[in-house]
Structures are given as C-alpha cells and as structure tokens.
Amino acid sequence: MAKEYSGSPKHHHIESKKRRLTYIVCVSGLCVLFYVLGAWQSTPVPNNQSEAYTRIKCDTDNPNAGGGQSTKFSSSSESFSLDFQSHHQVAINDSDAVETIPACDMSYSEYTPCQDPQRGRKFDRKMLKYRERHCPKKDELLRCLIPAPPKYKTPFKWPQSRDYAWYDNIPHRELSIEKAVQNWIQVEGDRFRFPGGGTMFPRGADAYIDDINELIPLTSGKIRTAIDTGCGVASWGAYLLKRDILTMSFAPRDTHEAQVQFALERGVPAMIGIMASQRIPYPARAFDMAHCSRCLIPWNNFDGLYLIEVDRVLRPGGYWILSGPPIRWKKYWRGWERTQEDLKQEQDSIEDVAKRLCWKKVIEKDDLAIWQKPINHIECIKSRSVIKTPHICKADNPDNAWYREMETCITPLPEVSSSDEVAGGAAEKWPERAFAVPPRISSGSIPGITAEKYKEDNELWKDRVSHYKRIISPLTQGRYRNVMDMNANLGGFAAALAKYPVWVMNVVPVDNNHDTLGVIYERGFIGTYQDWCEAFSTYPRTYDLIHAGGLFSIYQDRCDVTYILLEMDRILRPEGTVIFRDTVEVLVKIKSITDGMRWTSQIMDHESGPFNPEKILVAVKSYWTGKPSQKQL
C-alpha cells in the first residue's frame, strides 16, 4: 500500500522556496557585513583636518597670486582622491621620505638650460653654432625649482594679453628703448603694451598683413600654418591669429632681450630657436607659409643652405615672404648703411637660389617679395639637366630634424602621376582640415595607423576633453591659453580643444615608434620634436596647462623622471595645471615626487570608470615667488 501524503504539492514548494530565500538573504548579509568591515579596516585614518579635506576636494585658491584665478578640481565624486599606496609599492627613492626640492637662487629666474648664454659661449661662433641647443650634462643639472619674480602676477587673459603684459613678470625695458621708433613695445606704468609694430611694418602688423593679403589669399582657409623666422616679439604671428592662421614663431635667445618670452607671456605661440647649422625641429612639408621680416638670416650664404631648409619645411605650393634687406634696396640702402652694389648682389643671389629650388616668384611690390614652392617636382627633376645644383637628396628621411645637420640638397617630394597633382596629397582648407583624414594617413605612410583608427582617436579625445571639463573647471573659463601636449600622438587633444581660446604646442617625442608630427601639421596644428631627457626650448613660466599621456612609461627607464618633472615645473606658470595619464604604478611614483615640489595633486579614475587600469593624476603648481634681492628692496 502506498504511503499516504497529506500535504499538497503546492504548499511544499512554497515552503522550499522560503527556505532557499532565507538562506540567500543570510549569505548576502554576511558578505556585505564582511566587505564593510574589511573596507573599514583598510582605510587609513587622516592624520589631520587638512588631509581629510584634501581627500574630498582640492582647491588651490591663493589670495597672494596677484588677483589671478586659481585652478580647482571638481568636487564631484569622480574627483575623490584614490589611495593606491597600500596596493602598489613602487620603489621611488632610497629613502621612504618624500624629497623636498628647494627653490633655486633668484639668479635662475629666467634659466633656459639648453640655450644658456654662458654655456653657449664655449661653442663655435661659426654659423652661429653657439646659439644652438647645448644642454647641460647629467652632473650639471639643477635639482631645484625655478623661482618666479617677486611680484609675479597671473597674466592677462586672451585676447587682452595680445596687447598687454605685466612688467613685473618680465622686467626688461631694453626693447622699449632700443625699438622705440619701431613701436615694438611700450612701458605704461606697471605693464607693457604691444602696439603691433615691427621693423618693416611701422603702420602696424595688422596693416602689414592686409598688404600681404592683397598679394596672396590669407583668409580662404588654404593657408593655416605659418613659420616666422627671427620673429622679434611675434607681432606678425599674434595678428595672424584672428585670420585663423597659426604661426610657429622662433628667434634665438638674447638677440634682443626676452623677445620669445614676451611672445609667450602674451599667449602667442613661440619657441627659442635659430637657423644655424642644424635643421629646425619640424617635419618636412609642415607649413603653408614662411616669413622673414628683416630677420637677419643670410639667405644667400652657404650655397643657399637656409633657403633649402625653408624649402624642406614648406608644403608643396607654399609661400615664402621676404621683407627688409635686400628688398626695395633702391629706396632704403642709405638707412641700412650698406652699398647699393652689396644689396643688389644679395638680392640677385637670393633670386638665383630660389630659381634653383624651382620656386616661382609670385610678386614683388613695395616692401614685399613673395615666392611659391612648386606643388611637385616633375619639372624640377627635368631642370636638373640644366641646373646642376642643388641636387635632390638621396636616401634621406626628410622628417628627421632632431640634431640633424642641414644639407645643401633639395628635399625630395613624394612622387606624383601628373604635373597637376600635389605631392604627398592636398590638405583640406581650414577648418575642415582639423578632422579630415590627413594625407599621410590616407596614403598609408604611417604603419599601423588607418583612417578608421584616426577617426576612433578623434572620438576618444572628444570624450576625454569632456571629462577634463568636469574635473578642471578653468578649462572652460578662459584660465588657460598656452597649452602643451608632451606626447601628442595624432594631435587629437589639440583638435578637441580647437573651439576654445587656446593654442597647443604638440610635442612628438623622438623616442616614439611612429613619427606623427607631420600628421599634426597636416591637420592645421603646430608642434615640435623633443627628447624629454633634455630641457624644452622655452623660457620659464610659459605654459598654463600641460598634458602628459603615457609619457613617463616611455621615459622611466631612460632617464631620471625627477628631472622631467622639474622641467615641467620650470615651464609651467604658477597655478598652472598638469594632467598625467598612465598606469597606477607610474602615477604613484610621479605623485611621490611632485609632493616635494609644492604641487597639489589627486589621482582620479579613468573617464570610463574605476576598472580601467589607466588612471589620471591632476596636479596644480602652487603660487610662490622668489625673494627679492637687496637691489630690488
């Protein structure tokens, strides 16, 4: 006889489910309890109130900063300081204590390590080699912080800064006296004013540029990147900005006191540099226009070496503009204190070099002469049977420009199939050029970088800059003007910032697997090559915001990263900001050093969330100045 079952099946299942549910709830509760206890035990207790405050929010407002705006980190949950110390033990120094890096003597306030005049005097004066880069050796490196002048103030915001700078930030009156007639710079109370004058444009840079615009089209978008050799205080580049033309202005240190420093202080792109014996640090086919206004470069000397170098960096179809000696020598020869015969011979020599480069003279009118580079070398190669020199270079990387000697041969252009084809590919007009696929990528000349990857990179940087806007409020408030990307890759950071009133110095490390600086120029931006084991060619306090993505992973085994951080401190303005992107291990190492450099910093999650192994470190340089000398008291 079967055993009688008195309960209903439905009731049995309900009881079984209740038991399972009770079991799950109990286990879940225990898991939550142990997780909370573990988190409580592993969280370090702040030693003091200031440390607790720092964990929540970093605010670097400083009432002593000359009325300037400070950089703030957002107080949102994304900006909470992440503590990796207990999980990532990285050997930083021999001692566990953070090294406190002292301030340098006030005499180093304008120190430019690789263009130091005292060091330069030891080198050959032939071809002005002594004014080229000569960096200190390892045992000569300074391990201290470059001080700002005692009364340093936050610079004027752009566009007001184009015309004004605080005297106390760059206390040099020499140019206001030496160039008084030419209207370069004037002293007005506690500030400098820059009227936009120049040696060859007494009516002002604006009027001078209008004269050029009547001869070649400056506002059509075809001309976007320009280079100004021997730039003075960069008035030409400053006034081209409102025409959407971005100029790389350069001049040697101390030809006229602090001219490049004046340009950067005002928010105008510039570098310390000179045309001497080495190539200028830019790729081939970079600039749509080159300019020299009485820049004192001997264009006709050394078999036309310097014009050949201009030809290398000029895009096919690009223009070279010359004003000043020897142009219009019949009118100015007495004022230039040179003989008519000498000036005529110089101009004839320049005309001859330009012809042998296959350039076409577009026009000479009043004080201006303009030549144009051919769009390809089909006719130029044919002319070599008649014009023997300069010959076209063989087996050379035309973009190789880091400590590379100039050569008296024409840089070859990429081959074309017809005489009306632009060698290397035509660049789009600005502003479409910023996001159009650059010719170097569409042609497949950069291994591993396709049009699809390029577009993905643009989207990536669009998201990253949106994230930066949330965690760094001054990014959208006009606080920054001069921006540097220390590892620029394809220039996506600069492109994402194009709608803001900033300009970006895109730096491509010479150690990179791929040389992408040519791509950056084809997008309509500017930049330079650099080895970050050496100092950058600029004055102290010339950048507001520095971006370093993946840079320290490249250099941590090549040189002492402390000196790279000290160089960043040198070129960063007081209250300037640095954004690092790297692995946690690298960022912890960086933070341990910057804690001794008067920087305030926080490690934050990646924009995609906490599970991404890459993190972000945002650091702010505090406001402090050097002590005045007895003469200044």
Side-chain angles (χ1 to χ4, degrees):
M1 184 176 179
K3 185 177 179 181
E4 184 179 358
Y5 180 58
S6 60
S8 70
K10 185 175 181 180
H11 177 77
H12 172 75
H13 289 313
I14 291 173
E15 290 298 322
S16 178
K17 286 182 179 179
K18 285 182 178 179
R19 285 195 298 270
R20 285 199 301 269
L21 182 61
T22 302
Y23 175 76
I24 292 170
V25 169
C26 291
V27 171
S28 299
L30 288 172
C31 289
V32 171
L33 177 63
F34 287 128
Y35 177 83
V36 171
L37 288 172
W40 176 75
Q41 288 179 342
S42 63
T43 302
V45 179
N47 295 326
N48 51 52
Q49 185 177 2
S50 64
E51 183 180 344
Y53 176 76
T54 303
R55 292 282 173 82
I56 302 300
K57 180 179 178 182
C58 175
D59 186 339
T60 59
D61 277 336
N62 190 317
N64 300 320
Q69 294 180 338
S70 64
T71 301
K72 296 180 181 179
F73 302 153
S74 168
S75 59
S76 70
S77 61
E78 294 176 300
S79 69
F80 289 178
S81 181
L82 306 182
D83 182 10
F84 297 105
Q85 298 290 348
S86 60
H87 307 289
H88 297 269
Q89 300 298 331
V90 181
I92 309 300
N93 297 305
D94 295 335
S95 172
D96 292 333
V98 172
E99 177 188 3
T100 300
I101 299 177
C104 303
D105 186 82
M106 194 62 205
S107 61
Y108 288 99
S109 180
E110 295 182 358
Y111 183 54
T112 56
C114 296
Q115 281 90 9
D116 181 31
Q118 293 183 353
R119 181 176 294 103
R121 294 189 189 103
K122 302 174 184 177
F123 294 88
D124 193 353
R125 300 184 71 86
K126 182 181 178 182
M127 294 183 68
L128 300 179
K129 291 182 179 181
Y130 73 105
R131 283 187 172 166
E132 293 181 320
R133 284 177 60 89
H134 301 290
C135 298
K137 297 177 182 178
K138 187 176 180 179
D139 59 353
E140 297 176 315
L141 296 174
L142 295 180
R143 204 175 181 89
C144 55
L145 304 172
I146 302 298
K151 298 180 181 179
Y152 181 87
K153 301 181 181 69
T154 299
F156 292 94
K157 284 186 179 181
W158 184 266
Q160 188 183 15
S161 66
R162 186 195 69 179
D163 302 326
Y164 292 97
W166 295 113
Y167 173 81
D168 287 329
N169 290 8
I170 314 176
H172 297 291
R173 296 179 180 269
E174 295 87 345
L175 281 178
S176 65
I177 300 169
E178 182 180 346
K179 298 292 182 180
V181 177
Q182 296 163 12
N183 225 18
W184 279 24
I185 181 174
Q186 298 172 356
V187 180
E188 295 183 352
D190 60 354
R191 66 193 67 184
F192 290 111
R193 187 168 76 87
F194 298 83
T199 307
M200 292 307 300
F201 31 95
R203 294 181 295 124
D206 237 358
Y208 176 79
I209 292 169
D210 287 339
D211 291 342
I212 296 174
N213 190 47
E214 292 179 1
L215 306 178
I216 57 174
L218 296 182
T219 55
S220 66
K222 184 178 180 181
I223 296 175
R224 164 61 179 172
T225 55
I227 183 168
D228 190 11
T229 55
C231 64
V233 294
S235 295
W236 190 70
Y239 282 84
L240 278 173
L241 286 167
K242 69 178 184 180
R243 295 164 172 86
D244 278 337
I245 296 176
L246 191 59
T247 306
M248 176 67 80
S249 300
F250 73 83
R253 193 193 194 287
D254 291 336
T255 296
H256 297 300
E257 190 71 30
Q259 53 188 341
V260 169
Q261 191 177 15
F262 276 124
L264 287 160
E265 180 71 14
R266 294 156 54 213
V268 179
M271 281 181 66
I272 300 174
I274 189 171
M275 297 194 78
S277 67
Q278 297 174 348
R279 286 179 173 179
I280 49 180
Y282 317 116
R285 311 192 314 274
F287 299 98
D288 301 309
M289 177 169 60
H291 174 258
C292 164
S293 174
R294 201 171 187 180
C295 60
L296 305 179
I297 296 173
W299 298 111
N300 58 315
N301 289 358
F302 312 114
D303 297 321
L305 185 68
Y306 300 134
L307 271 185
I308 292 171
E309 176 63 0
V310 170
D311 180 81
R312 183 185 71 85
V313 300
L314 204 58
R315 282 188 58 77
Y319 297 96
W320 182 57
I321 302 169
L322 177 63
S323 66
I327 305 303
R328 214 177 183 188
W329 56 267
K330 291 180 181 178
K331 177 180 179 180
Y332 295 119
W333 67 276
R334 288 187 180 86
W336 291 338
E337 298 180 352
R338 292 174 60 184
T339 65
Q340 295 184 68
E341 293 77 16
D342 181 35
L343 288 162
K344 182 180 183 304
Q345 182 182 12
E346 182 181 348
Q347 179 155 358
D348 289 345
S349 297
I350 290 173
E351 302 270 10
D352 179 61
V353 173
K355 183 178 179 180
R356 290 188 283 117
L357 288 170
C358 307
W359 291 3
K360 174 186 175 183
K361 190 169 187 181
V362 177
I363 193 169
E364 181 175 335
K365 182 179 180 182
D366 298 329
D367 296 343
L368 292 164
I370 302 177
W371 286 263
Q372 187 174 22
K373 178 179 176 176
I375 62 172
N376 57 60
H377 273 168
I378 288 181
E379 294 299 323
C380 193
I381 291 172
K382 291 179 181 178
S383 72
R384 294 304 96 185
S385 60
V386 178
I387 304 173
K388 300 296 183 182
T389 58
H391 64 276
I392 295 177
C393 301
K394 304 292 184 183
D396 178 43
N397 175 7
D399 292 341
N400 186 353
W402 187 249
Y403 292 124
R404 177 65 182 269
E405 295 292 316
M406 292 185 191
E407 296 182 85
T408 54
C409 58
I410 300 174
T411 300
L413 291 174
E415 294 184 2
V416 295
S417 56
S418 63
S419 59
D420 59 353
E421 182 181 348
V422 178
E428 296 287 340
K429 291 184 177 180
W430 183 263
E432 291 76 17
R433 190 187 296 193
F435 292 99
V437 179
R440 277 175 164 89
I441 291 179
S442 59
S443 66
S445 61
I446 302 181
I449 300 179
T450 63
E452 290 71 24
K453 289 186 177 180
Y454 168 75
K455 293 174 182 176
E456 290 172 4
D457 187 72
N458 286 334
E459 290 301 315
L460 177 69
W461 279 105
K462 181 179 177 182
D463 292 341
R464 287 180 173 179
V465 169
S466 294
H467 182 62
Y468 293 162
K469 285 164 57 180
R470 291 192 292 270
I471 63 176
I472 309 173
S473 57
L475 192 62
T476 58
Q477 297 174 0
R479 172 67 177 83
Y480 306 128
R481 171 63 184 170
N482 301 353
V483 180
M484 174 182 284
D485 191 349
M486 295 176 72
N487 188 18
N489 193 25
L490 300 177
F493 181 52
L497 290 175
K499 61 184 177 181
Y500 300 110
V502 303
W503 64 271
V504 181
M505 178 67 77
N506 295 280
V507 181
V508 172
V510 294
D511 312 87
N512 269 12
N513 293 329
H514 298 305
D515 180 357
T516 55
L517 192 54
V519 168
I520 291 168
Y521 273 97
E522 287 179 341
R523 300 187 69 172
F525 303 111
I526 60 173
T528 183
Y529 295 111
Q530 174 69 23
D531 180 350
W532 284 113
C533 289
E534 300 179 359
F536 193 74
S537 293
T538 191
Y539 283 84
R541 301 173 298 282
T542 47
Y543 286 89
D544 304 296
L545 174 65
I546 299 175
H547 190 276
L551 182 82
F552 286 81
S553 289
I554 298 173
Y555 281 95
Q556 63 177 340
D557 297 324
R558 290 200 61 239
C559 51
D560 187 344
V561 297
T562 300
Y563 290 107
I564 300 179
L565 291 165
L566 287 172
E567 173 62 6
M568 295 170 73
D569 183 87
R570 184 184 74 87
I571 68 178
L572 189 65
R573 286 175 172 163
E575 298 184 308
T577 302
V578 181
I579 302 173
F580 300 90
R581 302 181 71 95
D582 226 306
T583 63
V584 171
E585 287 80 7
V586 171
L587 294 186
V588 170
K589 180 174 182 177
I590 291 170
K591 190 176 187 309
S592 72
I593 299 170
T594 60
D595 284 348
M597 291 171 51
R598 310 192 195 191
W599 289 15
T600 303
S601 62
Q602 289 179 322
I603 296 178
M604 304 177 182
D605 275 330
H606 191 273
E607 61 269 4
S608 65
F611 299 108
N612 195 305
E614 182 180 74
K615 302 298 177 185
I616 300 170
L617 173 64
V618 180
V620 177
K621 177 180 176 179
S622 64
Y623 175 88
W624 63 277
T625 67
K627 296 180 180 179
S629 64
Q630 292 298 319
K631 294 180 180 179
Q632 295 172 310
L633 293 175

